[in-house]
PDB file of all heavy atoms in Angstrom:
ATOM      1  N   GLU G   1       0.797  -1.223   0.001  1.00  0.00           N
ATOM      2  CA  GLU G   1       0.000   0.006   0.003  1.00  0.00           C
ATOM      3  C   GLU G   1       0.833   1.274  -0.001  1.00  0.00           C
ATOM      4  O   GLU G   1       0.272   2.374  -0.059  1.00  0.00           O
ATOM      5  CB  GLU G   1      -0.929   0.014   1.228  1.00  0.00           C
ATOM      6  CG  GLU G   1      -1.976  -1.098   1.224  1.00  0.00           C
ATOM      7  CD  GLU G   1      -3.101  -0.880   0.223  1.00  0.00           C
ATOM      8  OE1 GLU G   1      -3.178   0.232  -0.364  1.00  0.00           O
ATOM      9  OE2 GLU G   1      -3.896  -1.808   0.002  1.00  0.00           O
ATOM     10  N   GLY G   2       2.164   1.143   0.074  1.00  0.00           N
ATOM     11  CA  GLY G   2       2.994   2.330   0.150  1.00  0.00           C
ATOM     12  C   GLY G   2       2.822   3.084   1.448  1.00  0.00           C
ATOM     13  O   GLY G   2       3.036   4.305   1.517  1.00  0.00           O
ATOM     14  N   ILE G   3       2.429   2.383   2.512  1.00  0.00           N
ATOM     15  CA  ILE G   3       2.235   2.980   3.839  1.00  0.00           C
ATOM     16  C   ILE G   3       3.163   2.282   4.821  1.00  0.00           C
ATOM     17  O   ILE G   3       3.065   1.057   4.993  1.00  0.00           O
ATOM     18  CB  ILE G   3       0.765   2.815   4.291  1.00  0.00           C
ATOM     19  CG1 ILE G   3      -0.179   3.560   3.346  1.00  0.00           C
ATOM     20  CG2 ILE G   3       0.586   3.318   5.722  1.00  0.00           C
ATOM     21  CD1 ILE G   3      -1.655   3.285   3.611  1.00  0.00           C
ATOM     22  N   LEU G   4       4.051   3.039   5.445  1.00  0.00           N
ATOM     23  CA  LEU G   4       4.977   2.492   6.426  1.00  0.00           C
ATOM     24  C   LEU G   4       4.379   2.704   7.807  1.00  0.00           C
ATOM     25  O   LEU G   4       4.371   3.817   8.332  1.00  0.00           O
ATOM     26  CB  LEU G   4       6.349   3.180   6.340  1.00  0.00           C
ATOM     27  CG  LEU G   4       7.416   2.722   7.336  1.00  0.00           C
ATOM     28  CD1 LEU G   4       7.721   1.228   7.176  1.00  0.00           C
ATOM     29  CD2 LEU G   4       8.689   3.552   7.181  1.00  0.00           C
ATOM     30  N   PRO G   5       3.859   1.629   8.421  1.00  0.00           N
ATOM     31  CA  PRO G   5       3.236   1.798   9.750  1.00  0.00           C
ATOM     32  C   PRO G   5       4.283   1.775  10.852  1.00  0.00           C
ATOM     33  O   PRO G   5       5.364   1.171  10.703  1.00  0.00           O
ATOM     34  CB  PRO G   5       2.324   0.554   9.844  1.00  0.00           C
ATOM     35  CG  PRO G   5       3.092  -0.496   9.082  1.00  0.00           C
ATOM     36  CD  PRO G   5       3.794   0.230   7.945  1.00  0.00           C
ATOM     37  N   ALA G   6       3.981   2.409  11.951  1.00  0.00           N
ATOM     38  CA  ALA G   6       4.809   2.251  13.148  1.00  0.00           C
ATOM     39  C   ALA G   6       4.818   0.783  13.557  1.00  0.00           C
ATOM     40  O   ALA G   6       3.869   0.054  13.308  1.00  0.00           O
ATOM     41  CB  ALA G   6       4.269   3.128  14.287  1.00  0.00           C
ATOM     42  N   LEU G   7       5.895   0.365  14.192  1.00  0.00           N
ATOM     43  CA  LEU G   7       5.968  -1.029  14.635  1.00  0.00           C
ATOM     44  C   LEU G   7       4.893  -1.352  15.649  1.00  0.00           C
ATOM     45  O   LEU G   7       4.451  -2.494  15.759  1.00  0.00           O
ATOM     46  CB  LEU G   7       7.360  -1.321  15.225  1.00  0.00           C
ATOM     47  CG  LEU G   7       8.476  -1.409  14.176  1.00  0.00           C
ATOM     48  CD1 LEU G   7       9.836  -1.632  14.860  1.00  0.00           C
ATOM     49  CD2 LEU G   7       8.211  -2.525  13.169  1.00  0.00           C
ATOM     50  N   GLU G   8       4.439  -0.337  16.401  1.00  0.00           N
ATOM     51  CA  GLU G   8       3.309  -0.556  17.314  1.00  0.00           C
ATOM     52  C   GLU G   8       2.076  -0.962  16.504  1.00  0.00           C
ATOM     53  O   GLU G   8       1.459  -1.997  16.756  1.00  0.00           O
ATOM     54  CB  GLU G   8       3.043   0.717  18.119  1.00  0.00           C
ATOM     55  CG  GLU G   8       4.108   1.076  19.133  1.00  0.00           C
ATOM     56  CD  GLU G   8       5.334   1.738  18.523  1.00  0.00           C
ATOM     57  OE1 GLU G   8       5.269   2.133  17.336  1.00  0.00           O
ATOM     58  OE2 GLU G   8       6.355   1.836  19.214  1.00  0.00           O
ATOM     59  N   SER G   9       1.711  -0.131  15.529  1.00  0.00           N
ATOM     60  CA  SER G   9       0.537  -0.387  14.700  1.00  0.00           C
ATOM     61  C   SER G   9       0.665  -1.693  13.929  1.00  0.00           C
ATOM     62  O   SER G   9      -0.346  -2.353  13.618  1.00  0.00           O
ATOM     63  CB  SER G   9       0.320   0.751  13.721  1.00  0.00           C
ATOM     64  OG  SER G   9       0.376   2.017  14.347  1.00  0.00           O
ATOM     65  N   SER G  10       1.892  -2.083  13.607  1.00  0.00           N
ATOM     66  CA  SER G  10       2.129  -3.303  12.832  1.00  0.00           C
ATOM     67  C   SER G  10       1.609  -4.552  13.525  1.00  0.00           C
ATOM     68  O   SER G  10       1.259  -5.532  12.885  1.00  0.00           O
ATOM     69  CB  SER G  10       3.624  -3.448  12.527  1.00  0.00           C
ATOM     70  OG  SER G  10       4.096  -2.357  11.768  1.00  0.00           O
ATOM     71  N   HIS G  11       1.572  -4.524  14.872  1.00  0.00           N
ATOM     72  CA  HIS G  11       0.991  -5.658  15.604  1.00  0.00           C
ATOM     73  C   HIS G  11      -0.487  -5.816  15.258  1.00  0.00           C
ATOM     74  O   HIS G  11      -0.959  -6.945  15.074  1.00  0.00           O
ATOM     75  CB  HIS G  11       1.176  -5.442  17.110  1.00  0.00           C
ATOM     76  CG  HIS G  11       2.558  -5.609  17.594  1.00  0.00           C
ATOM     77  ND1 HIS G  11       3.564  -4.691  17.316  1.00  0.00           N
ATOM     78  CD2 HIS G  11       3.163  -6.592  18.339  1.00  0.00           C
ATOM     79  CE1 HIS G  11       4.684  -5.092  17.876  1.00  0.00           C
ATOM     80  NE2 HIS G  11       4.478  -6.244  18.492  1.00  0.00           N
ATOM     81  N   ALA G  12      -1.201  -4.698  15.172  1.00  0.00           N
ATOM     82  CA  ALA G  12      -2.620  -4.738  14.798  1.00  0.00           C
ATOM     83  C   ALA G  12      -2.788  -5.195  13.353  1.00  0.00           C
ATOM     84  O   ALA G  12      -3.699  -5.958  13.030  1.00  0.00           O
ATOM     85  CB  ALA G  12      -3.267  -3.383  15.033  1.00  0.00           C
ATOM     86  N   VAL G  13      -1.924  -4.704  12.466  1.00  0.00           N
ATOM     87  CA  VAL G  13      -1.975  -5.094  11.067  1.00  0.00           C
ATOM     88  C   VAL G  13      -1.792  -6.598  10.930  1.00  0.00           C
ATOM     89  O   VAL G  13      -2.495  -7.267  10.170  1.00  0.00           O
ATOM     90  CB  VAL G  13      -0.922  -4.324  10.231  1.00  0.00           C
ATOM     91  CG1 VAL G  13      -0.899  -4.835   8.793  1.00  0.00           C
ATOM     92  CG2 VAL G  13      -1.199  -2.818  10.259  1.00  0.00           C
ATOM     93  N   ALA G  14      -0.812  -7.157  11.635  1.00  0.00           N
ATOM     94  CA  ALA G  14      -0.536  -8.591  11.555  1.00  0.00           C
ATOM     95  C   ALA G  14      -1.761  -9.414  11.952  1.00  0.00           C
ATOM     96  O   ALA G  14      -2.112 -10.381  11.255  1.00  0.00           O
ATOM     97  CB  ALA G  14       0.662  -8.934  12.449  1.00  0.00           C
ATOM     98  N   TYR G  15      -2.386  -9.061  13.072  1.00  0.00           N
ATOM     99  CA  TYR G  15      -3.530  -9.857  13.500  1.00  0.00           C
ATOM    100  C   TYR G  15      -4.734  -9.670  12.568  1.00  0.00           C
ATOM    101  O   TYR G  15      -5.463 -10.620  12.291  1.00  0.00           O
ATOM    102  CB  TYR G  15      -3.925  -9.498  14.935  1.00  0.00           C
ATOM    103  CG  TYR G  15      -4.909 -10.513  15.508  1.00  0.00           C
ATOM    104  CD1 TYR G  15      -4.480 -11.759  15.909  1.00  0.00           C
ATOM    105  CD2 TYR G  15      -6.272 -10.212  15.599  1.00  0.00           C
ATOM    106  CE1 TYR G  15      -5.377 -12.708  16.386  1.00  0.00           C
ATOM    107  CE2 TYR G  15      -7.170 -11.143  16.091  1.00  0.00           C
ATOM    108  CZ  TYR G  15      -6.718 -12.394  16.484  1.00  0.00           C
ATOM    109  OH  TYR G  15      -7.607 -13.340  16.953  1.00  0.00           O
ATOM    110  N   ALA G  16      -4.918  -8.467  12.064  1.00  0.00           N
ATOM    111  CA  ALA G  16      -6.009  -8.213  11.135  1.00  0.00           C
ATOM    112  C   ALA G  16      -5.851  -9.030   9.852  1.00  0.00           C
ATOM    113  O   ALA G  16      -6.842  -9.552   9.330  1.00  0.00           O
ATOM    114  CB  ALA G  16      -6.086  -6.731  10.792  1.00  0.00           C
ATOM    115  N   MET G  17      -4.644  -9.136   9.357  1.00  0.00           N
ATOM    116  CA  MET G  17      -4.412  -9.925   8.146  1.00  0.00           C
ATOM    117  C   MET G  17      -4.766 -11.389   8.373  1.00  0.00           C
ATOM    118  O   MET G  17      -5.414 -12.022   7.533  1.00  0.00           O
ATOM    119  CB  MET G  17      -2.944  -9.806   7.714  1.00  0.00           C
ATOM    120  CG  MET G  17      -2.564  -8.424   7.204  1.00  0.00           C
ATOM    121  SD  MET G  17      -0.769  -8.239   6.953  1.00  0.00           S
ATOM    122  CE  MET G  17      -0.468  -9.431   5.615  1.00  0.00           C
ATOM    123  N   GLU G  18      -4.391 -11.901   9.525  1.00  0.00           N
ATOM    124  CA  GLU G  18      -4.703 -13.301   9.853  1.00  0.00           C
ATOM    125  C   GLU G  18      -6.207 -13.516   9.995  1.00  0.00           C
ATOM    126  O   GLU G  18      -6.765 -14.493   9.482  1.00  0.00           O
ATOM    127  CB  GLU G  18      -3.984 -13.685  11.141  1.00  0.00           C
ATOM    128  CG  GLU G  18      -4.280 -15.107  11.640  1.00  0.00           C
ATOM    129  CD  GLU G  18      -3.641 -15.406  12.983  1.00  0.00           C
ATOM    130  OE1 GLU G  18      -2.663 -14.702  13.345  1.00  0.00           O
ATOM    131  OE2 GLU G  18      -4.100 -16.314  13.679  1.00  0.00           O
ATOM    132  N   LEU G  19      -6.865 -12.594  10.675  1.00  0.00           N
ATOM    133  CA  LEU G  19      -8.285 -12.721  10.944  1.00  0.00           C
ATOM    134  C   LEU G  19      -9.119 -12.543   9.684  1.00  0.00           C
ATOM    135  O   LEU G  19     -10.046 -13.308   9.407  1.00  0.00           O
ATOM    136  CB  LEU G  19      -8.710 -11.721  12.017  1.00  0.00           C
ATOM    137  CG  LEU G  19     -10.054 -11.931  12.705  1.00  0.00           C
ATOM    138  CD1 LEU G  19     -10.066 -13.258  13.454  1.00  0.00           C
ATOM    139  CD2 LEU G  19     -10.332 -10.777  13.680  1.00  0.00           C
ATOM    140  N   ALA G  20      -8.783 -11.507   8.899  1.00  0.00           N
ATOM    141  CA  ALA G  20      -9.562 -11.178   7.704  1.00  0.00           C
ATOM    142  C   ALA G  20      -9.550 -12.326   6.690  1.00  0.00           C
ATOM    143  O   ALA G  20     -10.517 -12.515   5.962  1.00  0.00           O
ATOM    144  CB  ALA G  20      -9.031  -9.904   7.063  1.00  0.00           C
ATOM    145  N   ALA G  21      -8.465 -13.072   6.648  1.00  0.00           N
ATOM    146  CA  ALA G  21      -8.339 -14.155   5.676  1.00  0.00           C
ATOM    147  C   ALA G  21      -9.434 -15.203   5.821  1.00  0.00           C
ATOM    148  O   ALA G  21      -9.812 -15.854   4.857  1.00  0.00           O
ATOM    149  CB  ALA G  21      -6.959 -14.820   5.793  1.00  0.00           C
ATOM    150  N   GLY G  22      -9.963 -15.373   7.011  1.00  0.00           N
ATOM    151  CA  GLY G  22     -10.996 -16.366   7.259  1.00  0.00           C
ATOM    152  C   GLY G  22     -12.405 -15.802   7.251  1.00  0.00           C
ATOM    153  O   GLY G  22     -13.344 -16.499   7.664  1.00  0.00           O
ATOM    154  N   MET G  23     -12.567 -14.558   6.807  1.00  0.00           N
ATOM    155  CA  MET G  23     -13.868 -13.896   6.815  1.00  0.00           C
ATOM    156  C   MET G  23     -14.379 -13.731   5.390  1.00  0.00           C
ATOM    157  O   MET G  23     -13.646 -13.905   4.411  1.00  0.00           O
ATOM    158  CB  MET G  23     -13.760 -12.544   7.511  1.00  0.00           C
ATOM    159  CG  MET G  23     -13.333 -12.645   8.964  1.00  0.00           C
ATOM    160  SD  MET G  23     -12.922 -11.037   9.733  1.00  0.00           S
ATOM    161  CE  MET G  23     -14.519 -10.186   9.623  1.00  0.00           C
ATOM    162  N   SER G  24     -15.644 -13.350   5.255  1.00  0.00           N
ATOM    163  CA  SER G  24     -16.248 -13.163   3.922  1.00  0.00           C
ATOM    164  C   SER G  24     -15.874 -11.797   3.366  1.00  0.00           C
ATOM    165  O   SER G  24     -15.514 -10.870   4.106  1.00  0.00           O
ATOM    166  CB  SER G  24     -17.773 -13.290   4.009  1.00  0.00           C
ATOM    167  OG  SER G  24     -18.352 -12.078   4.451  1.00  0.00           O
ATOM    168  N   SER G  25     -15.988 -11.668   2.071  1.00  0.00           N
ATOM    169  CA  SER G  25     -15.633 -10.426   1.393  1.00  0.00           C
ATOM    170  C   SER G  25     -16.586  -9.281   1.706  1.00  0.00           C
ATOM    171  O   SER G  25     -16.300  -8.127   1.399  1.00  0.00           O
ATOM    172  CB  SER G  25     -15.575 -10.638  -0.125  1.00  0.00           C
ATOM    173  OG  SER G  25     -16.843 -11.074  -0.620  1.00  0.00           O
ATOM    174  N   GLU G  26     -17.735  -9.597   2.280  1.00  0.00           N
ATOM    175  CA  GLU G  26     -18.708  -8.567   2.629  1.00  0.00           C
ATOM    176  C   GLU G  26     -18.455  -7.965   4.016  1.00  0.00           C
ATOM    177  O   GLU G  26     -19.023  -6.945   4.368  1.00  0.00           O
ATOM    178  CB  GLU G  26     -20.147  -9.135   2.587  1.00  0.00           C
ATOM    179  CG  GLU G  26     -20.555  -9.609   1.204  1.00  0.00           C
ATOM    180  CD  GLU G  26     -20.446  -8.489   0.161  1.00  0.00           C
ATOM    181  OE1 GLU G  26     -20.983  -7.393   0.440  1.00  0.00           O
ATOM    182  OE2 GLU G  26     -19.829  -8.717  -0.887  1.00  0.00           O
ATOM    183  N   GLU G  27     -17.627  -8.627   4.799  1.00  0.00           N
ATOM    184  CA  GLU G  27     -17.353  -8.154   6.147  1.00  0.00           C
ATOM    185  C   GLU G  27     -16.265  -7.070   6.140  1.00  0.00           C
ATOM    186  O   GLU G  27     -15.449  -6.984   5.214  1.00  0.00           O
ATOM    187  CB  GLU G  27     -16.968  -9.339   7.044  1.00  0.00           C
ATOM    188  CG  GLU G  27     -18.128 -10.313   7.263  1.00  0.00           C
ATOM    189  CD  GLU G  27     -17.753 -11.469   8.141  1.00  0.00           C
ATOM    190  OE1 GLU G  27     -16.995 -12.352   7.670  1.00  0.00           O
ATOM    191  OE2 GLU G  27     -18.228 -11.509   9.293  1.00  0.00           O
ATOM    192  N   ILE G  28     -16.246  -6.287   7.197  1.00  0.00           N
ATOM    193  CA  ILE G  28     -15.332  -5.124   7.296  1.00  0.00           C
ATOM    194  C   ILE G  28     -14.517  -5.221   8.579  1.00  0.00           C
ATOM    195  O   ILE G  28     -15.053  -5.373   9.671  1.00  0.00           O
ATOM    196  CB  ILE G  28     -16.128  -3.811   7.300  1.00  0.00           C
ATOM    197  CG1 ILE G  28     -16.841  -3.602   5.960  1.00  0.00           C
ATOM    198  CG2 ILE G  28     -15.188  -2.629   7.603  1.00  0.00           C
ATOM    199  CD1 ILE G  28     -17.776  -2.413   5.953  1.00  0.00           C
ATOM    200  N   VAL G  29     -13.200  -5.129   8.404  1.00  0.00           N
ATOM    201  CA  VAL G  29     -12.262  -5.065   9.514  1.00  0.00           C
ATOM    202  C   VAL G  29     -11.584  -3.701   9.473  1.00  0.00           C
ATOM    203  O   VAL G  29     -11.034  -3.308   8.445  1.00  0.00           O
ATOM    204  CB  VAL G  29     -11.196  -6.163   9.445  1.00  0.00           C
ATOM    205  CG1 VAL G  29     -10.134  -5.976  10.517  1.00  0.00           C
ATOM    206  CG2 VAL G  29     -11.833  -7.541   9.567  1.00  0.00           C
ATOM    207  N   ILE G  30     -11.620  -2.970  10.585  1.00  0.00           N
ATOM    208  CA  ILE G  30     -10.969  -1.658  10.667  1.00  0.00           C
ATOM    209  C   ILE G  30      -9.778  -1.747  11.607  1.00  0.00           C
ATOM    210  O   ILE G  30      -9.906  -2.181  12.756  1.00  0.00           O
ATOM    211  CB  ILE G  30     -11.934  -0.565  11.135  1.00  0.00           C
ATOM    212  CG1 ILE G  30     -13.044  -0.371  10.101  1.00  0.00           C
ATOM    213  CG2 ILE G  30     -11.204   0.740  11.390  1.00  0.00           C
ATOM    214  CD1 ILE G  30     -14.085   0.661  10.501  1.00  0.00           C
ATOM    215  N   ILE G  31      -8.611  -1.343  11.100  1.00  0.00           N
ATOM    216  CA  ILE G  31      -7.394  -1.254  11.894  1.00  0.00           C
ATOM    217  C   ILE G  31      -7.143   0.213  12.238  1.00  0.00           C
ATOM    218  O   ILE G  31      -7.180   1.064  11.347  1.00  0.00           O
ATOM    219  CB  ILE G  31      -6.163  -1.773  11.110  1.00  0.00           C
ATOM    220  CG1 ILE G  31      -6.389  -3.194  10.606  1.00  0.00           C
ATOM    221  CG2 ILE G  31      -4.904  -1.690  11.973  1.00  0.00           C
ATOM    222  CD1 ILE G  31      -5.332  -3.623   9.574  1.00  0.00           C
ATOM    223  N   ASN G  32      -6.877   0.482  13.500  1.00  0.00           N
ATOM    224  CA  ASN G  32      -6.425   1.821  13.847  1.00  0.00           C
ATOM    225  C   ASN G  32      -4.930   1.899  13.575  1.00  0.00           C
ATOM    226  O   ASN G  32      -4.128   1.362  14.326  1.00  0.00           O
ATOM    227  CB  ASN G  32      -6.722   2.154  15.305  1.00  0.00           C
ATOM    228  CG  ASN G  32      -6.527   3.647  15.584  1.00  0.00           C
ATOM    229  OD1 ASN G  32      -6.512   4.463  14.660  1.00  0.00           O
ATOM    230  ND2 ASN G  32      -6.398   3.998  16.844  1.00  0.00           N
ATOM    231  N   LEU G  33      -4.565   2.559  12.477  1.00  0.00           N
ATOM    232  CA  LEU G  33      -3.159   2.749  12.156  1.00  0.00           C
ATOM    233  C   LEU G  33      -2.642   3.912  12.982  1.00  0.00           C
ATOM    234  O   LEU G  33      -2.655   5.046  12.550  1.00  0.00           O
ATOM    235  CB  LEU G  33      -2.973   2.973  10.651  1.00  0.00           C
ATOM    236  CG  LEU G  33      -1.574   2.685  10.110  1.00  0.00           C
ATOM    237  CD1 LEU G  33      -1.286   1.196  10.174  1.00  0.00           C
ATOM    238  CD2 LEU G  33      -1.426   3.189   8.707  1.00  0.00           C
ATOM    239  N   SER G  34      -2.201   3.611  14.186  1.00  0.00           N
ATOM    240  CA  SER G  34      -1.988   4.630  15.219  1.00  0.00           C
ATOM    241  C   SER G  34      -0.828   5.566  14.952  1.00  0.00           C
ATOM    242  O   SER G  34      -0.787   6.675  15.527  1.00  0.00           O
ATOM    243  CB  SER G  34      -1.824   3.966  16.582  1.00  0.00           C
ATOM    244  OG  SER G  34      -0.743   3.045  16.565  1.00  0.00           O
ATOM    245  N   GLY G  35       0.120   5.178  14.100  1.00  0.00           N
ATOM    246  CA  GLY G  35       1.251   6.054  13.843  1.00  0.00           C
ATOM    247  C   GLY G  35       2.045   5.589  12.627  1.00  0.00           C
ATOM    248  O   GLY G  35       1.903   4.454  12.163  1.00  0.00           O
ATOM    249  N   ARG G  36       2.850   6.491  12.109  1.00  0.00           N
ATOM    250  CA  ARG G  36       3.692   6.132  10.959  1.00  0.00           C
ATOM    251  C   ARG G  36       5.060   5.656  11.405  1.00  0.00           C
ATOM    252  O   ARG G  36       5.514   5.970  12.506  1.00  0.00           O
ATOM    253  CB  ARG G  36       3.821   7.302   9.972  1.00  0.00           C
ATOM    254  CG  ARG G  36       4.433   8.564  10.518  1.00  0.00           C
ATOM    255  CD  ARG G  36       4.596   9.570   9.377  1.00  0.00           C
ATOM    256  NE  ARG G  36       5.116  10.843   9.837  1.00  0.00           N
ATOM    257  CZ  ARG G  36       4.409  11.970   9.953  1.00  0.00           C
ATOM    258  NH1 ARG G  36       3.136  11.953   9.652  1.00  0.00           N
ATOM    259  NH2 ARG G  36       4.968  13.085  10.367  1.00  0.00           N
ATOM    260  N   GLY G  37       5.728   4.926  10.503  1.00  0.00           N
ATOM    261  CA  GLY G  37       6.935   4.205  10.885  1.00  0.00           C
ATOM    262  C   GLY G  37       8.248   4.897  10.611  1.00  0.00           C
ATOM    263  O   GLY G  37       9.308   4.239  10.744  1.00  0.00           O
ATOM    264  N   ASP G  38       8.232   6.168  10.253  1.00  0.00           N
ATOM    265  CA  ASP G  38       9.476   6.867  10.005  1.00  0.00           C
ATOM    266  C   ASP G  38      10.452   6.714  11.189  1.00  0.00           C
ATOM    267  O   ASP G  38      11.651   6.505  10.994  1.00  0.00           O
ATOM    268  CB  ASP G  38       9.244   8.350   9.762  1.00  0.00           C
ATOM    269  CG  ASP G  38       8.239   8.628   8.647  1.00  0.00           C
ATOM    270  OD1 ASP G  38       7.147   8.058   8.721  1.00  0.00           O
ATOM    271  OD2 ASP G  38       8.542   9.435   7.750  1.00  0.00           O
ATOM    272  N   LYS G  39       9.904   6.807  12.406  1.00  0.00           N
ATOM    273  CA  LYS G  39      10.712   6.696  13.603  1.00  0.00           C
ATOM    274  C   LYS G  39      11.395   5.351  13.757  1.00  0.00           C
ATOM    275  O   LYS G  39      12.383   5.231  14.468  1.00  0.00           O
ATOM    276  CB  LYS G  39       9.835   6.962  14.840  1.00  0.00           C
ATOM    277  CG  LYS G  39       8.794   5.857  15.068  1.00  0.00           C
ATOM    278  CD  LYS G  39       7.912   6.095  16.270  1.00  0.00           C
ATOM    279  CE  LYS G  39       6.899   4.996  16.449  1.00  0.00           C
ATOM    280  NZ  LYS G  39       7.518   3.652  16.697  1.00  0.00           N
ATOM    281  N   ASP G  40      10.849   4.321  13.091  1.00  0.00           N
ATOM    282  CA  ASP G  40      11.352   2.968  13.234  1.00  0.00           C
ATOM    283  C   ASP G  40      12.353   2.573  12.156  1.00  0.00           C
ATOM    284  O   ASP G  40      12.849   1.435  12.171  1.00  0.00           O
ATOM    285  CB  ASP G  40      10.182   1.963  13.246  1.00  0.00           C
ATOM    286  CG  ASP G  40       9.277   2.141  14.439  1.00  0.00           C
ATOM    287  OD1 ASP G  40       9.813   2.259  15.568  1.00  0.00           O
ATOM    288  OD2 ASP G  40       8.041   2.178  14.273  1.00  0.00           O
ATOM    289  N   ILE G  41      12.657   3.471  11.227  1.00  0.00           N
ATOM    290  CA  ILE G  41      13.590   3.134  10.162  1.00  0.00           C
ATOM    291  C   ILE G  41      14.961   2.695  10.723  1.00  0.00           C
ATOM    292  O   ILE G  41      15.529   1.707  10.252  1.00  0.00           O
ATOM    293  CB  ILE G  41      13.726   4.306   9.180  1.00  0.00           C
ATOM    294  CG1 ILE G  41      12.432   4.407   8.352  1.00  0.00           C
ATOM    295  CG2 ILE G  41      14.934   4.150   8.269  1.00  0.00           C
ATOM    296  CD1 ILE G  41      12.358   5.606   7.428  1.00  0.00           C
TER     297      ILE G  41
END
């Protein structure tokens, strides 16, 4: 997506990816992308 998430937010992204894979295409998962990852470079 061209979006560098903070490593904190990346924990939420990881679990969302795992969970969403087992759901239907009509369902909606929202991740709070709490910060950007520039600080983690």
Side-chain angles (χ1 to χ4, degrees):
E1 296 286 351
I3 297 172
L4 179 60
L7 287 177
E8 291 78 12
S9 312
S10 299
H11 288 72
V13 174
Y15 192 75
M17 291 171 65
E18 177 185 339
L19 196 62
M23 299 170 63
S24 81
S25 61
E26 297 303 310
E27 293 180 288
I28 295 173
V29 173
I30 295 178
I31 304 167
N32 192 18
L33 200 68
S34 57
R36 60 174 177 254
D38 305 53
K39 67 180 180 62
D40 295 314
I41 289 174

